[in-house]
Amino acid sequence: CPEQDLVEKPFLGQVDMHGTRLEGHIMASGMGVYLALPLMRFATEEAERMRDGHFPKTLTMEEACGWACDVMRVLSLRTSSCSNRIQLATVGVDGVGMSAPFNVEGEWNHQDFHAHEVGSYHERGEEGPTDLWPY
């Protein structure tokens, strides 16, 4: 019975607006497809393990939450449509759990963010981004 298989064997999947069903060991939508999936594929060593004929690495709950926070930090820093305030949800045989909302912090103290305050690249004797681009 197909319904029995669904009850006994958990899976991760989604359905898009056209009714296309997708399943995988990691899922993302929106900008996460471009920014989050590559990071999660790296975390699960997908390419190396699949090349050897193995399933991707299964992360522990701590590893998965750590990677989820890192991925959301990247999304919040790279897209204007993503907030740095997130919640983590877990789904398992014990049920569904939801964390309290919290902020993922980004690093905004890189010296080049404040280059205009301390002089241009050329005044500091450094090559700037435009020096590296030949066009």
Side-chain angles (χ1 to χ4, degrees):
C1 178
E3 293 85 15
Q4 187 68 17
D5 290 340
L6 291 177
V7 172
E8 292 178 6
K9 183 180 176 191
F11 69 98
L12 180 62
Q14 67 185 32
V15 178
D16 70 6
M17 65 183 189
H18 304 290
T20 306
R21 296 174 299 169
L22 304 167
E23 283 186 44
H25 69 283
I26 51 176
M27 304 295 291
S29 62
M31 286 300 291
V33 171
Y34 305 106
L35 298 172
L37 280 182
L39 293 172
M40 293 306 296
R41 287 180 175 143
F42 176 77
T44 59
E45 302 169 0
E46 181 179 288
E48 296 85 8
R49 294 178 65 91
M50 297 290 273
R51 190 178 315 116
D52 296 335
H54 297 69
F55 287 110
K57 175 183 168 187
T58 301
L59 301 176
T60 65
M61 190 59 71
E62 289 104 19
E63 289 174 327
C65 289
W67 277 100
C69 288
D70 288 344
V71 165
M72 292 307 295
R73 179 180 299 108
V74 168
L75 285 170
S76 70
L77 293 172
R78 295 290 181 194
T79 66
S80 61
S81 60
C82 181
S83 171
N84 69 335
R85 188 160 177 82
I86 66 168
Q87 284 182 280
L88 295 179
T90 57
V91 179
V93 292
D94 299 333
V96 177
M98 182 80 68
S99 75
F102 63 96
N103 292 337
V104 290
E105 299 301 325
E107 179 64 47
W108 292 100
N109 293 327
H110 193 273
Q111 68 178 1
D112 292 338
F113 291 152
H114 305 285
H116 66 282
E117 297 171 4
V118 294
S120 70
Y121 290 98
H122 297 288
E123 290 173 8
R124 294 192 313 249
E126 301 174 8
E127 285 187 343
T130 55
D131 296 327
L132 304 175
W133 185 254
Y135 303 104

